[in-house]
Short mmCIF file of all heavy atoms in Angstrom, two decimals:
data_model
loop_
_atom_site.label_atom_id
_atom_site.label_comp_id
_atom_site.label_asym_id
_atom_site.label_seq_id
_atom_site.Cartn_x
_atom_site.Cartn_y
_atom_site.Cartn_z
N GLN A 14 113.53 58.78 177.84
CA GLN A 14 114.47 57.70 178.10
C GLN A 14 115.74 58.20 178.80
O GLN A 14 116.22 57.59 179.75
CB GLN A 14 114.82 56.98 176.79
CG GLN A 14 113.64 56.39 176.07
CD GLN A 14 112.86 55.40 176.90
OE1 GLN A 14 113.44 54.51 177.53
NE2 GLN A 14 111.54 55.54 176.92
N ALA A 15 116.30 59.29 178.31
CA ALA A 15 117.54 59.80 178.90
C ALA A 15 117.34 60.15 180.37
O ALA A 15 118.23 59.93 181.20
CB ALA A 15 118.03 61.02 178.12
N GLU A 16 116.17 60.68 180.68
CA GLU A 16 115.85 61.03 182.07
C GLU A 16 115.82 59.78 182.94
O GLU A 16 116.36 59.76 184.07
CB GLU A 16 114.49 61.72 182.07
CG GLU A 16 114.07 62.37 183.36
CD GLU A 16 112.71 63.03 183.24
OE1 GLU A 16 112.10 62.97 182.15
OE2 GLU A 16 112.27 63.59 184.24
N ALA A 17 115.21 58.72 182.44
CA ALA A 17 115.14 57.46 183.20
C ALA A 17 116.54 56.88 183.40
O ALA A 17 116.89 56.43 184.51
CB ALA A 17 114.24 56.46 182.48
N HIS A 18 117.35 56.87 182.36
CA HIS A 18 118.70 56.33 182.49
C HIS A 18 119.54 57.16 183.45
O HIS A 18 120.36 56.61 184.20
CB HIS A 18 119.35 56.24 181.11
CG HIS A 18 118.86 55.07 180.31
ND1 HIS A 18 119.51 53.84 180.30
CD2 HIS A 18 117.78 54.92 179.51
CE1 HIS A 18 118.85 53.00 179.52
NE2 HIS A 18 117.79 53.63 179.03
N ALA A 19 119.34 58.47 183.45
CA ALA A 19 120.08 59.32 184.38
C ALA A 19 119.70 59.01 185.83
O ALA A 19 120.57 58.96 186.71
CB ALA A 19 119.81 60.80 184.07
N LEU A 20 118.42 58.76 186.07
CA LEU A 20 117.98 58.41 187.42
C LEU A 20 118.57 57.08 187.86
O LEU A 20 119.04 56.93 189.00
CB LEU A 20 116.46 58.35 187.46
CG LEU A 20 115.72 59.69 187.40
CD1 LEU A 20 114.27 59.48 186.99
CD2 LEU A 20 115.79 60.39 188.76
N VAL A 21 118.56 56.10 186.96
CA VAL A 21 119.13 54.79 187.28
C VAL A 21 120.61 54.92 187.62
O VAL A 21 121.09 54.33 188.60
CB VAL A 21 118.91 53.82 186.10
CG1 VAL A 21 119.78 52.57 186.24
CG2 VAL A 21 117.44 53.44 186.00
N GLN A 22 121.33 55.70 186.83
CA GLN A 22 122.76 55.87 187.10
C GLN A 22 123.00 56.62 188.39
O GLN A 22 123.95 56.34 189.12
CB GLN A 22 123.40 56.60 185.92
CG GLN A 22 123.50 55.75 184.66
CD GLN A 22 124.10 56.51 183.50
OE1 GLN A 22 123.48 57.39 182.92
NE2 GLN A 22 125.32 56.16 183.14
N GLU A 23 122.14 57.59 188.69
CA GLU A 23 122.31 58.36 189.92
C GLU A 23 122.07 57.50 191.16
O GLU A 23 122.79 57.61 192.15
CB GLU A 23 121.37 59.57 189.91
CG GLU A 23 121.68 60.60 190.98
CD GLU A 23 120.99 61.92 190.75
OE1 GLU A 23 120.51 62.18 189.62
OE2 GLU A 23 120.91 62.71 191.72
N VAL A 24 121.06 56.64 191.11
CA VAL A 24 120.82 55.73 192.24
C VAL A 24 121.97 54.74 192.36
O VAL A 24 122.43 54.43 193.46
CB VAL A 24 119.48 55.01 192.06
CG1 VAL A 24 119.31 53.92 193.13
CG2 VAL A 24 118.32 56.00 192.15
N GLY A 25 122.43 54.23 191.23
CA GLY A 25 123.62 53.37 191.23
C GLY A 25 123.39 51.96 191.72
O GLY A 25 124.36 51.28 192.11
N ALA A 26 122.16 51.49 191.70
CA ALA A 26 121.86 50.12 192.12
C ALA A 26 121.79 49.22 190.89
O ALA A 26 121.09 49.53 189.93
CB ALA A 26 120.54 50.06 192.88
N SER A 27 122.50 48.11 190.90
CA SER A 27 122.56 47.25 189.72
C SER A 27 121.23 46.60 189.40
O SER A 27 121.01 46.15 188.26
CB SER A 27 123.62 46.15 189.93
OG SER A 27 123.28 45.32 191.03
N ASN A 28 120.31 46.54 190.35
CA ASN A 28 119.00 45.92 190.11
C ASN A 28 117.90 46.95 189.84
O ASN A 28 116.72 46.61 189.84
CB ASN A 28 118.59 45.03 191.29
CG ASN A 28 118.32 45.83 192.56
OD1 ASN A 28 119.04 46.79 192.86
ND2 ASN A 28 117.31 45.43 193.31
N LEU A 29 118.27 48.22 189.60
CA LEU A 29 117.31 49.23 189.16
C LEU A 29 117.52 49.47 187.67
O LEU A 29 118.62 49.83 187.24
CB LEU A 29 117.51 50.54 189.93
CG LEU A 29 116.58 51.68 189.54
CD1 LEU A 29 115.12 51.33 189.83
CD2 LEU A 29 116.98 52.97 190.25
N LYS A 30 116.46 49.24 186.88
CA LYS A 30 116.60 49.28 185.43
C LYS A 30 115.44 50.04 184.79
O LYS A 30 114.48 50.42 185.45
CB LYS A 30 116.69 47.86 184.87
CG LYS A 30 117.91 47.10 185.39
CD LYS A 30 118.05 45.72 184.80
CE LYS A 30 119.31 45.03 185.34
NZ LYS A 30 119.48 43.68 184.74
N VAL A 31 115.56 50.23 183.49
CA VAL A 31 114.56 50.96 182.72
C VAL A 31 113.64 49.98 182.00
O VAL A 31 114.09 48.98 181.45
CB VAL A 31 115.22 51.91 181.70
CG1 VAL A 31 114.17 52.60 180.83
CG2 VAL A 31 116.10 52.94 182.42
N GLN A 32 112.36 50.28 182.03
CA GLN A 32 111.36 49.55 181.25
C GLN A 32 111.09 50.39 180.00
O GLN A 32 110.49 51.46 180.08
CB GLN A 32 110.09 49.39 182.10
CG GLN A 32 108.97 48.62 181.45
CD GLN A 32 107.87 48.38 182.46
OE1 GLN A 32 108.12 48.01 183.61
NE2 GLN A 32 106.62 48.58 182.05
N LEU A 33 111.55 49.92 178.86
CA LEU A 33 111.45 50.66 177.60
C LEU A 33 110.21 50.21 176.84
O LEU A 33 110.20 49.14 176.23
CB LEU A 33 112.72 50.46 176.76
CG LEU A 33 112.71 50.97 175.32
CD1 LEU A 33 112.29 52.44 175.23
CD2 LEU A 33 114.09 50.77 174.68
N ASP A 34 109.19 51.02 176.90
CA ASP A 34 107.96 50.75 176.16
C ASP A 34 108.07 51.50 174.83
O ASP A 34 108.07 52.73 174.79
CB ASP A 34 106.76 51.23 176.97
CG ASP A 34 105.43 50.83 176.35
OD1 ASP A 34 105.30 50.95 175.12
OD2 ASP A 34 104.52 50.42 177.10
N LEU A 35 108.14 50.75 173.75
CA LEU A 35 108.36 51.36 172.44
C LEU A 35 107.16 52.19 171.99
O LEU A 35 107.31 53.13 171.20
CB LEU A 35 108.70 50.28 171.41
CG LEU A 35 110.01 49.53 171.71
CD1 LEU A 35 110.18 48.37 170.74
CD2 LEU A 35 111.21 50.45 171.66
N TYR A 36 105.99 51.87 172.48
CA TYR A 36 104.80 52.67 172.19
C TYR A 36 104.95 54.08 172.80
O TYR A 36 104.81 55.09 172.12
CB TYR A 36 103.56 51.96 172.74
CG TYR A 36 102.32 52.80 172.85
CD1 TYR A 36 101.53 53.06 171.73
CD2 TYR A 36 101.94 53.33 174.08
CE1 TYR A 36 100.38 53.84 171.84
CE2 TYR A 36 100.78 54.10 174.20
CZ TYR A 36 100.01 54.36 173.08
OH TYR A 36 98.88 55.13 173.19
N HIS A 37 105.24 54.13 174.08
CA HIS A 37 105.42 55.43 174.74
C HIS A 37 106.60 56.19 174.12
O HIS A 37 106.52 57.40 173.89
CB HIS A 37 105.66 55.24 176.23
CG HIS A 37 104.46 54.74 176.98
ND1 HIS A 37 103.24 55.38 176.96
CD2 HIS A 37 104.31 53.65 177.77
CE1 HIS A 37 102.38 54.71 177.71
NE2 HIS A 37 103.01 53.66 178.22
#
């Protein structure tokens, strides 16, 4: 999760988000 959030923040686009699958 932290890796995905870091990528989203680095791209900096408000419409790029994380899909959090609780199973994974």
Side-chain angles (χ1 to χ4, degrees):
Q14 301 303 312
E16 190 179 1
H18 282 266
L20 287 161
V21 166
Q22 289 178 288
E23 193 165 343
V24 172
S27 62
N28 67 321
L29 179 63
K30 298 183 179 181
V31 176
Q32 182 172 316
L33 170 53
D34 187 317
L35 297 173
Y36 165 80
H37 292 304

